[in-house]
Amino acid sequence: MNAGKPLTIVSQNEKILSLMQRIEKIAPSDSSVLLVGETGVGKEVFADYIHRYSQRRDKPFVKVGLAAMPADLLESELFGHEKGAFTSAHAEKKGLFEIADGGSIFLDDIDDVPMPIQSKLLRVLESGELMRVGATRPIRVDVRLITASKIDLKLLIERDKFRSDLFYRLNVVPMHIPPLRERSDDVPRLMNYFLENYGNGKPLPVTPRAMSALQRYSWPGNVRELRNVAQRLALFAEKEIDVKDLPAEIAHSGGLDVLLKKCQTCFYEDAMSFSQVMACLEANLLKQALAANQFNQSQAARHLKMSLSTFRDKLKKHSILLSDSL
Amino acid sequence: MNAGKPLTIVSQNEKILSLMQRIEKIAPSDSSVLLVGETGVGKEVFADYIHRYSQRRDKPFVKVGLAAMPADLLESELFGHEKGAFTSAHAEKKGLFEIADGGSIFLDDIDDVPMPIQSKLLRVLESGELMRVGATRPIRVDVRLITASKIDLKLLIERDKFRSDLFYRLNVVPMHIPPLRERSDDVPRLMNYFLENYGNGKPLPVTPRAMSALQRYSWPGNVRELRNVAQRLALFAEKEIDVKDLPAEIAHSGGLDVLLKKCQTCFYEDAMSFSQVMACLEANLLKQALAANQFNQSQAARHLKMSLSTFRDKLKKHSILLSDSL
DNA sequence: AGTTGGCCTGCGGAAATCCGCAGATTACAG
DNA sequence: CTGTAATCTGCGGATTTCCGCAGGCCAACT
């Protein structure tokens, strides 16, 4: 974290650091940027970062989520309309492109844009001008375009759902933001950062066991989910955060959840029998107990509340070798 | 769905229909609205709906996500700044409140707003004017405020993290948007709607089994997650959508996942032994097999690939009664 | 060097599990 | 109503599972 620079991207992951260096290099250039990454990875945060480092930092930065909007509403929203252009157009309206004139515009979920809107976006990019709905004269706009997609747009192009010519103009600078599970090394520092943030500057310590569970979790909701968890922890946790304070799906991320996912293949995909599934579950439970107890069979058996003899009989039954190179 | 009205809220759930009726009633009133609901329920879509039904529909509707922004950046973003107000303020800048003048502004994640920003927001609401950073004269603004929170702000007030006076001004019209899992009856129509949307108007049929799995799933990411799933299905599915086309966590939502969740309580929270956990898993598997086979023991045993005798022995072992009123 | 505690190993007996079988019952088609 | 097929039921034998026990090994302590 650089002193004096307002920075919301907390990371020491080399993929992210490399992204940030690239951003600092291209931000002043005014090139269109396409950010690709899963929901919750922080595409908007990266867009902010780009805008901050651009020459347009003192101009408007308008953000639009494109999903869930019908084409006609979206058109009006982005490009504005003239009075009387349609029944409910009681007055002329500036679109967000006009509002952003001189600055930047961030279009989230570009993969969700209907074809007619794609055409108009292309025109803006090619000619630097737009037509309001119902207008006869174009309006010039000077806007830097930053877009975001949660999937690879090439998939849509292949299926004729996205214009390749528009794609090439958007994709001048492509940037892939990795999901949080691919940079779990950042989980501890992100969690500590948000906890301090929500704790009014007072850091709230996390036990090593809790931090391990947080790091093991797959974070399907990415950084947004982590931030939400941090917010709740900062509200409800007392002196420090232990495993018992974590949401169930995270606290158990090292437990039967993992176990079950291992056995789903058994039961559904491989159409195994009841006894095979139970055997699979059992074998995995035994292995986990061993690993968790440094391969001390006596401790592992006590952990599972069974006798050492039973434990050993089961290891033999499942041909489980005594090694930490399983 | 009303013909002729642009409507993005697809639902026949009575909670949602009642919300929509309430919105249509209060939208013209210019009152501040506070939307509360989990991430992904579509708070922004409801905000759009409110703006559409207001007298300000032809004025700007600016949306801001407040999370993940440091206070000083956010302040500048919302309220603008004067040239020289700070080192990197090379020119004067209009804030988003000014840009939205005459229209509406939507502030998402209001629960994430730092105290200093809360103070300035309160002033805007109380006096109808704001001070740019570094300014000596206030600027009048006429903006309708719609805010969104993913948690109950009263929790923050209790912990002195949110100003109660600001809350009362924001919460003029409170609206709770239920999570998708509380209106699973909408899942089929939402899925069909999005599939048609992404399928260029061509509806893609979903088998009853697949639709059951979709309806059983808990949708932690709410409508956003459902839409993302629909988008992928529309891209990759062939003639119709069956269970095998669904993501693993949805396809299996009726299987071992549920089973495991039942047993998590056993192993972790109740500190049960290995044999107790296995017994718990076993009992639940047997019950599920019975229920899935209309309480026909022979079929259930074949389903589990075990002999009828074994099956019956196990039912006895676990004291499982033969009834569909379990 | 001797003692103590914990772990590992193999073994045997009691209990539990698995499943085939025969007869009774039920549901369905003609 | 009859015949057939499927299901249900109780039982007993073979197999598997559970676990206590005794002896050996190892590390730590006195």
Side-chain angles (χ1 to χ4, degrees):
Chain A
M1 215 183 287
N2 252 323
K5 283 178 176 176
L7 189 63
T8 56
I9 300 175
V10 175
S11 181
Q12 283 184 13
N13 174 271
E14 65 175 44
K15 284 178 183 173
I16 301 297
L17 292 177
S18 151
L19 260 184
M20 284 157 70
Q21 279 172 0
R22 245 183 113 213
I23 285 172
E24 286 167 28
K25 197 171 292 182
I26 59 89
S29 73
D30 251 25
S31 306
S32 295
V33 179
L34 176 61
L35 300 160
V36 182
E38 294 176 3
T39 296
V41 293
K43 297 191 286 292
E44 190 174 314
V45 175
F46 280 87
D48 277 325
Y49 198 82
I50 294 166
H51 181 74
R52 293 302 149 234
Y53 276 83
S54 74
Q55 313 284 3
R56 298 168 182 264
R57 69 171 75 84
D58 293 315
K59 294 290 186 178
F61 182 30
V62 176
K63 300 165 185 168
V64 199
L66 302 176
M69 243 190 214
D72 50 359
L73 262 180
L74 191 52
E75 184 176 37
S76 189
E77 196 74 19
L78 293 174
F79 309 111
H81 58 244
E82 298 292 356
K83 185 178 178 183
F86 44 87
T87 312
S88 57
H90 300 117
E92 75 160 59
K93 170 174 174 170
K94 282 184 171 182
L96 293 172
F97 270 90
E98 284 181 72
I99 291 171
D101 190 40
S104 313
I105 193 165
F106 173 60
L107 304 179
D108 203 359
D109 288 319
I110 195 75
D111 46 298
D112 262 327
V113 172
M115 282 301 209
I117 305 296
Q118 290 182 34
S119 299
K120 290 193 85 161
L121 283 175
L122 183 59
R123 177 169 178 178
V124 174
L125 284 164
E126 285 177 329
S127 63
E129 59 189 27
L130 64 82
M131 292 281 279
R132 284 182 181 174
V133 178
T136 53
R137 286 183 299 105
I139 296 166
R140 290 203 69 80
V141 288
D142 172 28
V143 168
R144 188 207 195 145
L145 203 60
I146 304 170
T147 49
S149 172
K150 57 191 172 293
I151 59 174
D152 189 348
L153 291 176
K154 293 193 184 78
L155 290 169
L156 296 176
I157 295 169
E158 283 167 14
R159 289 165 174 76
D160 298 317
K161 292 175 190 255
F162 205 89
R163 299 182 59 134
S164 59
D165 46 4
L166 176 60
F167 172 70
Y168 290 117
R169 291 203 175 255
L170 297 177
N171 202 45
V172 175
V173 181
M175 288 191 170
H176 285 81
I177 306 169
L180 188 51
R181 70 182 168 275
E182 287 180 17
R183 60 176 180 109
S184 56
D185 50 319
D186 275 340
V187 169
R189 69 180 60 90
L190 281 164
M191 182 55 65
N192 284 325
Y193 171 79
F194 288 126
L195 285 173
E196 188 164 351
N197 197 11
Y198 291 114
N200 296 330
K202 283 190 281 180
L204 189 56
V206 182
T207 67
R209 282 184 73 244
M211 198 57 94
S212 286
L214 289 166
Q215 211 164 351
R216 252 188 331 257
Y217 182 58
S218 64
W219 299 104
N222 289 292
V223 181
R224 180 188 288 124
E225 183 184 7
L226 192 151
R227 190 169 58 239
N228 290 352
V229 168
Q231 187 180 18
R232 281 202 165 270
L233 289 174
L235 280 176
F236 299 111
E238 309 274 307
K239 292 183 176 185
E240 64 170 11
I241 292 165
D242 203 354
V243 178
K244 64 173 173 33
D245 301 305
L246 303 179
E249 66 275 13
I250 301 178
H252 298 152
S253 60
L256 284 173
D257 263 346
V258 175
L259 188 66
L260 178 73
K261 282 178 172 40
K262 282 173 178 171
C263 294
Q264 273 171 356
T265 312
C266 307
F267 202 60
Y268 287 92
E269 294 169 29
D270 300 334
M272 287 167 88
S273 67
F274 175 92
S275 60
Q276 283 173 320
V277 171
M278 295 304 286
C280 189
L281 280 165
E282 189 167 290
N284 279 298
L285 260 170
L286 295 166
K287 286 173 182 173
Q288 279 182 6
L290 269 176
N293 289 278
Q294 295 80 47
F295 294 84
N296 183 319
Q297 293 169 74
S298 302
Q299 274 183 16
R302 281 198 298 277
H303 181 115
L304 298 177
K305 292 189 183 71
M306 73 169 67
S307 77
L308 180 55
S309 310
T310 303
F311 187 80
R312 289 175 53 75
D313 286 339
K314 288 183 185 294
L315 290 184
K316 197 169 190 177
K317 170 183 168 187
H318 297 290
S319 305
I320 294 169
L321 298 173
L322 295 169
S323 162
D324 45 11
S325 60
L326 284 171
Chain B
M1 219 184 281
N2 252 322
K5 283 179 176 177
L7 190 61
T8 57
I9 301 176
V10 175
S11 180
Q12 283 185 12
N13 175 269
E14 65 174 46
K15 286 179 184 173
I16 301 297
L17 292 177
S18 150
L19 261 182
M20 283 156 70
Q21 280 172 0
R22 243 184 113 212
I23 286 172
E24 286 166 28
K25 196 169 294 181
I26 60 88
S29 74
D30 250 24
S31 306
S32 296
V33 179
L34 176 61
L35 301 161
V36 182
E38 295 176 3
T39 297
V41 293
K43 296 191 287 291
E44 188 173 315
V45 174
F46 280 87
D48 277 325
Y49 198 84
I50 294 166
H51 181 72
R52 292 305 148 234
Y53 275 83
S54 75
Q55 313 285 4
R56 297 167 181 265
R57 69 172 75 84
D58 293 314
K59 294 291 186 174
F61 183 29
V62 176
K63 300 167 187 168
V64 199
L66 301 176
M69 243 191 216
D72 49 0
L73 264 178
L74 191 51
E75 183 176 36
S76 189
E77 197 73 16
L78 292 174
F79 309 113
H81 59 244
E82 297 293 355
K83 184 177 178 183
F86 44 88
T87 313
S88 56
H90 302 114
E92 76 161 55
K93 172 176 175 171
K94 282 186 172 183
L96 294 170
F97 270 90
E98 284 181 73
I99 291 173
D101 189 41
S104 313
I105 193 165
F106 172 59
L107 303 179
D108 203 358
D109 289 318
I110 195 76
D111 47 296
D112 262 328
V113 173
M115 282 300 208
I117 305 295
Q118 290 183 35
S119 298
K120 291 193 84 161
L121 283 175
L122 183 59
R123 177 166 179 179
V124 175
L125 284 164
E126 285 178 329
S127 63
E129 59 191 26
L130 62 81
M131 293 281 279
R132 283 180 183 176
V133 179
T136 51
R137 287 183 299 106
I139 297 165
R140 293 202 67 82
V141 288
D142 172 28
V143 169
R144 188 206 195 145
L145 204 60
I146 305 171
T147 49
S149 173
K150 57 192 173 292
I151 59 175
D152 187 349
L153 292 176
K154 292 193 185 80
L155 290 170
L156 296 176
I157 293 167
E158 284 167 12
R159 290 166 174 76
D160 297 316
K161 292 174 190 261
F162 206 89
R163 299 182 59 132
S164 57
D165 46 5
L166 175 60
F167 173 71
Y168 290 117
R169 290 204 176 255
L170 297 176
N171 201 44
V172 176
V173 181
M175 289 192 168
H176 286 81
I177 305 169
L180 188 52
R181 70 182 169 273
E182 286 180 19
R183 57 177 182 109
S184 57
D185 51 319
D186 275 340
V187 169
R189 67 180 62 90
L190 280 164
M191 181 55 65
N192 284 324
Y193 172 79
F194 287 125
L195 285 173
E196 190 166 350
N197 198 12
Y198 290 114
N200 296 330
K202 280 188 283 179
L204 189 57
V206 181
T207 67
R209 279 183 77 247
M211 198 59 95
S212 285
L214 289 166
Q215 210 165 348
R216 252 187 332 255
Y217 183 56
S218 64
W219 299 104
N222 288 294
V223 181
R224 181 189 288 123
E225 182 183 9
L226 192 151
R227 190 171 58 238
N228 290 352
V229 166
Q231 187 179 19
R232 282 203 164 268
L233 288 174
L235 279 177
F236 299 111
E238 307 275 306
K239 292 183 177 184
E240 66 170 9
I241 292 164
D242 203 354
V243 178
K244 64 174 169 39
D245 301 307
L246 303 179
E249 66 275 14
I250 302 179
H252 297 152
S253 62
L256 285 173
D257 263 346
V258 175
L259 189 64
L260 179 73
K261 281 179 174 43
K262 281 173 180 171
C263 293
Q264 272 172 356
T265 311
C266 306
F267 202 62
Y268 287 93
E269 293 170 29
D270 301 334
M272 286 167 88
S273 66
F274 175 92
S275 60
Q276 284 174 319
V277 172
M278 295 303 286
C280 190
L281 280 165
E282 186 167 290
N284 278 296
L285 261 169
L286 294 167
K287 285 173 182 171
Q288 279 184 3
L290 270 177
N293 288 278
Q294 294 82 48
F295 293 85
N296 184 319
Q297 292 170 74
S298 300
Q299 277 182 16
R302 281 198 295 278
H303 181 114
L304 298 176
K305 292 189 182 72
M306 74 169 65
S307 77
L308 178 56
S309 310
T310 302
F311 186 80
R312 287 175 54 74
D313 286 339
K314 287 181 186 295
L315 292 184
K316 197 168 189 179
K317 169 184 168 185
H318 298 289
S319 305
I320 294 169
L321 298 174
L322 294 169
S323 163
D324 46 10
S325 62
L326 282 170

